[in-house]
Amino acid sequence: CKVTKHPNSQPNNMVQIGFHILSRLFSALLPAVPSNEDNFYEILGLEKNATNEQIRKAYKKTSLRLHPDKVAQRGDMDKDEAAAKYEKVQEAYGVLVNEEKRDRYHALSTSTTRYRFVEQGGLMNPQGLYENLTSASVAEKTKLVGMAWIIMLVVLTQPILLGAKINQFLENSGPLADVSWIVIFTPFWIFGVLAIAFWSVLLFFAPPGEKKLVAVAVLEQVLWYLTVVFLAIKWDGWDAPYREVLIPFYMALAIGWIKKFLMLLKIRADVAKMVTMDYLEKDILQGKNLDDLTSEEEMQLRKDYIIVSVPPEFEPIDLDGVSPDDKALEEQRVEASPEFEAATDIYNSTLGKLYGSVAFTIVFLILLTLKLDDQMSGNWWVVFTPFLIYIIARLLYACFIVACGSGEEIALQMQMEQANGGSASNTAASVDDDADATKDKKKDEEKEEQPTASESNTGTQAQEKTDEETTPAASPAAAASDSPKKTESTPAPAVSSDDTSSKPNGDAPNDTPPKLANEDSDDEIHIDEETFRAWQSAYVEAEKNAIEATVKAAGDCCTLIFQLTFLCLIIAKIDKNYDDIDPEDVGFDVFWILSPVFFVFGCIGVCCACLIYGAAPPNPMDPLEGDMEETAYNFEDPETGSPMAPSPAPIISEPPKETVPFVNAPAPDATEQQTEPEQKDKQKDVTPEELPDMGDLD
């Protein structure tokens, strides 16, 4: 095992500083150090200040002693144990002989467990970080909570300085009243430089297709930075009109619109590159597989195309009753993929924000510039009217979605259209037509078949007497069907398609489509099973989408209420003190404007503290967290105290179906007449006078 090192390589000091901070201040996010942990230096029998030459000699000596061939020759050690120790020796040498890895190992307090966690990408795994947090000590959790609060206070430093400066400037008293605005914005200068540096690094590492978008973002950050610089100089005494001072502000807004436009173009280009795996292998690779390509070819292929996943429940949609061709089928598959849906949502959201920003911001900028240069009369509420209208309109729409839903009926109709290849309105119309036809047919049958009461009694009695004389062995089904008490005024109950016992003479189950009964009448609507399944699936999908839209709208409501409250406080303060500054009457304090910001940060801090201190390892005895198979059925016999096997699950049979009266009962199966002669003889002796009186049956 030979490790080469570049002669000019130097350890990354910034990375090492970051690991030092991580191990000292954020140790709660790292795994706990076991008491019997194997130290890399101890594995090789070295001190922490060992040189590279000493490390190589110790590695050679230890590896020869634990090599599997040497162990097999000597036979003085278990092979598995020797192999495990040999792997640890290889790992220790690979870390200590590399200066950068060795510095990283020292930055993590020479903890082998924590080093492995970081090297394996554990810092990018939220679940792993939370598991480490559950086993951290109270002192480590306290340090983490303290760092979270310190970070929030650093972020709030700039708003606090601004609020104190404005208050003391209006009151013309206090230590900050005469301090330059350049000094007041010191935290912003620091954070602004860091933001510009961050975007510049992203521009350097960005792929060629995204460099334009990142470059525009860097330019936008620079223009916002210059806007604050120009405003600070203006407030310190620069005699220039605001229409000149705000030139970087205008340019930053224009660059933001260009960035959104470029984002829309990129989304459209990505959508055009979306293909399914079947289309890729069949039409592009000409029957080849991705495994057959070289790494360069596969990389180029993934640059040219975006492979999407097709849902397993996808079904093609016929176009005007004709099956789609290969091109149309591929388009339907791509449009059904979650990648296409996510891109469409982002595109629509970005486009809406672009339209709203252009329409309302331009009007606001015109009013703001005229008001600042004293070329427009009126209060500041008029200047901010475009923003107020925009925020209130979005808030009303979000509240409507939360209160009334997102129109799941419309989504259901669209799903029905996709499932049936036609519009949902056509489906509903066909169902109504079937219901009307069934109703008219039933009325005609009732008019033709319903006899008078006297004819019914006389005719049936004579027919029954004739049947008894000529066919004494007639089946009870015939007697039941010729009963004088049966009339057409009592319709037979609706029979479902899966009821096999309702079919006379033991025939096969009826394959008629399921029926949906109308609650207000006796009409039955016939819908084929495929349509019903499609409708059911579409309803579930529409309900899921409606819930997601409602949750998103509720979050938008909270955000918009916060924005509206913050904006109204700013407008009220400016309208009070801009035109007439009276040190004796400055209105409400500026920190009331910042109170929503302090409230949000306070809630975040409290939630972080509760999450960190409340993190605990799962309880194996808790049925919601532990293994139910090991703890749920550990019963004991109360008499003997020995373990008792769990009783089998009860067999739940279907509830008995409602019985229908004798006069409406279908004829029994022919096989039942042959196997049950006693029942047949009993039914044969029943006379019409002995039958129950069913005349009062409604």
Side-chain angles (χ1 to χ4, degrees):
C1 179
K2 185 177 181 181
V3 179
T4 60
K5 178 185 174 183
H6 195 276
N8 296 326
S9 63
Q10 296 293 335
N12 193 335
N13 294 329
M14 295 298 297
V15 175
Q16 306 307 328
I17 293 174
F19 280 111
H20 277 288
I21 295 175
L22 176 65
S23 61
R24 270 47 172 197
L25 301 179
F26 300 94
S27 57
L29 300 177
L30 298 175
V33 180
S35 58
N36 57 346
E37 183 182 44
D38 293 331
N39 187 284
F40 287 154
Y41 289 100
E42 295 176 355
I43 292 175
L44 297 178
L46 297 170
E47 299 292 336
K48 291 185 178 181
N49 56 355
T51 62
N52 287 346
E53 186 65 26
Q54 292 175 344
I55 293 174
R56 290 188 177 92
K57 290 182 179 180
Y59 165 72
K60 183 177 181 180
K61 178 181 178 181
T62 310
S63 61
L64 287 176
R65 180 172 58 85
L66 297 175
H67 195 276
D69 296 339
K70 300 294 182 180
V71 172
Q73 292 177 2
R74 295 195 306 267
D76 58 348
M77 185 182 295
D78 183 67
K79 294 182 179 180
D80 296 336
E81 182 181 357
K85 291 182 178 180
Y86 185 75
E87 291 180 359
K88 292 181 180 180
V89 169
Q90 298 288 335
E91 181 186 9
Y93 177 71
V95 173
L96 298 181
V97 79
N98 188 306
E99 187 174 351
E100 183 177 351
K101 292 183 178 180
R102 185 177 179 182
D103 291 339
R104 193 180 308 169
Y105 179 64
H106 280 269
L108 294 172
S109 303
T110 63
S111 172
T112 306
T113 303
R114 292 183 174 181
Y115 178 82
R116 291 170 180 167
F117 176 79
V118 173
E119 287 295 311
Q120 294 173 1
L123 296 177
M124 306 300 296
N125 184 9
Q127 184 177 359
L129 295 176
Y130 183 78
E131 290 179 357
N132 297 336
L133 191 62
T134 58
S135 58
S137 63
V138 177
E140 293 177 335
K141 293 181 178 180
T142 303
K143 286 192 297 184
L144 187 60
V145 172
M147 289 303 303
W149 279 93
I150 290 174
I151 292 174
M152 288 188 291
L153 289 176
V154 171
V155 174
L156 291 174
T157 301
Q158 185 64 78
I160 293 173
L161 287 176
L162 283 176
K165 170 65 176 179
I166 294 173
N167 283 334
Q168 297 180 15
F169 174 77
L170 295 176
E171 296 173 357
N172 197 17
S173 63
L176 297 179
D178 298 328
V179 177
S180 174
W181 285 95
I182 296 293
V183 178
I184 295 297
F185 280 105
T186 300
F188 179 81
W189 309 140
I190 299 174
F191 289 122
V193 170
L194 293 177
I196 294 174
F198 172 76
W199 283 103
S200 301
V201 172
L202 287 183
L203 177 62
F204 181 76
F205 292 103
E210 298 182 359
K211 282 189 177 295
K212 291 182 179 180
L213 191 61
V214 180
V216 171
V218 174
L219 182 59
E220 183 183 11
Q221 294 293 327
V222 173
L223 290 173
W224 284 115
Y225 194 84
L226 292 177
T227 300
V228 180
V229 172
F230 283 20
L231 286 175
I233 298 174
K234 169 66 176 178
W235 294 339
D236 281 338
W238 180 26
D239 188 12
Y242 275 99
R243 60 178 176 270
E244 297 177 4
V245 174
L246 295 178
I247 288 177
F249 178 63
Y250 304 148
M251 296 177 63
L253 291 176
I255 292 297
W257 297 335
I258 295 175
K259 184 177 70 173
K260 287 185 174 62
F261 182 74
L262 292 177
M263 188 180 298
L264 294 175
L265 294 180
K266 184 180 182 302
I267 294 174
R268 292 176 66 91
D270 290 342
V271 170
K273 294 192 298 184
M274 290 183 179
V275 295
T276 60
M277 181 61 72
D278 295 339
Y279 179 84
L280 184 69
E281 295 179 351
K282 179 180 178 182
D283 295 355
I284 299 176
L285 299 179
Q286 302 295 331
K288 293 183 180 179
N289 198 333
L290 287 177
D291 299 335
D292 301 334
L293 303 178
T294 62
S295 58
E296 293 79 7
E297 292 176 346
E298 183 178 356
M299 185 180 300
Q300 184 63 34
L301 186 68
R302 294 189 180 276
K303 289 181 180 180
D304 297 337
Y305 300 97
I306 298 177
I307 304 175
V308 299
S309 56
V310 183
E313 65 273 8
F314 167 76
E315 294 182 2
I317 303 173
D318 297 339
L319 304 175
D320 298 331
V322 180
S323 300
D325 55 4
D326 294 341
K327 183 178 180 180
L329 181 61
E330 174 65 14
E331 293 179 356
Q332 292 183 12
R333 288 177 175 175
V334 171
E335 292 175 358
S337 64
E339 293 85 357
F340 180 84
E341 294 180 358
T344 304
D345 293 340
I346 297 175
Y347 184 88
N348 295 333
S349 176
T350 305
L351 186 62
K353 292 179 180 179
L354 179 60
Y355 286 156
S357 177
V358 172
F360 291 96
T361 306
I362 291 178
V363 179
F364 168 73
L365 289 178
I366 295 174
L367 296 176
L368 178 64
T369 305
L370 294 175
K371 181 64 177 177
L372 290 174
D373 290 337
D374 297 329
Q375 297 179 4
M376 186 187 76
S377 60
N379 55 29
W380 282 89
W381 293 97
V382 178
V383 177
F384 286 91
T385 298
F387 275 156
L388 292 174
I389 294 175
Y390 178 68
I391 294 177
I392 291 175
R394 290 182 59 193
L395 180 61
L396 292 177
Y397 176 75
C399 292
F400 175 79
I401 297 299
V402 174
C404 303
S406 59
E408 57 268 18
E409 295 85 1
I410 299 176
L412 179 58
Q413 290 180 3
M414 296 176 64
Q415 294 286 346
M416 286 286 290
E417 181 178 354
Q418 294 179 359
N420 300 330
S423 63
S425 58
N426 295 336
T427 305
S430 63
V431 172
D432 294 339
D433 294 340
D434 293 341
D436 294 339
T438 304
K439 186 176 181 180
D440 295 339
K441 182 178 179 181
K442 188 172 183 179
K443 288 183 178 179
D444 294 339
E445 291 177 355
E446 289 179 355
K447 291 180 180 180
E448 294 176 0
E449 298 180 5
Q450 183 176 3
T452 61
S454 59
E455 292 176 351
S456 177
N457 294 335
T458 306
T460 53
Q461 288 180 3
Q463 182 67 27
E464 191 176 34
K465 186 178 295 183
T466 305
D467 293 340
E468 289 179 355
E469 292 175 356
T470 56
T471 57
S475 65
S481 61
D482 296 333
S483 172
K485 301 297 182 180
K486 177 182 179 181
T487 61
E488 291 295 328
S489 60
T490 306
V495 182
S496 61
S497 60
D498 57 349
D499 190 0
T500 58
S501 63
S502 61
K503 190 74 177 175
N505 300 327
D507 292 343
N510 192 1
D511 293 333
T512 58
K515 305 174 183 179
L516 300 179
N518 192 345
E519 296 180 357
D520 298 334
S521 63
D522 294 336
D523 300 335
E524 295 174 352
I525 301 175
H526 296 262
I527 300 178
D528 61 278
E529 184 177 357
E530 183 178 358
T531 303
F532 176 76
R533 297 300 181 189
W535 175 86
Q536 192 178 32
S537 176
Y539 182 83
V540 172
E541 185 67 22
E543 188 176 7
K544 177 183 177 182
N545 295 335
I547 293 175
E548 293 178 354
T550 303
V551 173
K552 184 178 181 298
D556 293 341
C557 281
C558 297
T559 304
L560 292 171
I561 289 174
F562 173 80
Q563 294 177 358
L564 184 61
T565 304
F566 190 70
L567 182 61
C568 290
L569 291 174
I570 292 177
I571 298 173
K573 184 62 177 178
I574 296 175
D575 192 59
K576 172 67 178 177
N577 300 119
Y578 182 78
D579 296 326
D580 185 15
I581 300 177
D582 184 6
E584 302 297 332
D585 184 16
V586 296
F588 59 88
D589 197 282
V590 177
F591 286 103
W592 282 108
I593 301 176
L594 301 176
S595 59
V597 179
F598 296 151
F599 175 76
V600 171
F601 273 81
C603 292
I604 294 175
V606 172
C607 292
C608 288
C610 293
L611 176 64
I612 294 172
Y613 283 116
N619 184 8
M621 301 302 296
D622 191 346
L624 297 178
E625 300 177 355
D627 191 357
M628 290 292 294
E629 296 181 357
E630 297 180 0
T631 60
Y633 299 104
N634 190 14
F635 300 116
E636 294 183 354
D637 192 341
E639 296 181 358
T640 62
S642 58
M644 184 173 58
S647 58
I651 300 177
I652 303 176
S653 59
E654 297 182 356
K657 299 181 179 180
E658 296 182 359
T659 58
V660 296
F662 175 75
V663 294
N664 290 331
D669 194 354
T671 57
E672 294 180 2
Q673 299 179 19
Q674 298 175 3
T675 57
E676 297 179 358
E678 298 179 358
Q679 183 178 0
K680 185 179 68 174
D681 296 338
K682 184 177 180 180
Q683 285 283 15
K684 183 181 66 174
D685 298 333
V686 176
T687 60
E689 291 78 6
E690 296 177 352
L691 291 174
D693 188 5
M694 305 300 291
D696 296 333
L697 180 64
D698 188 2

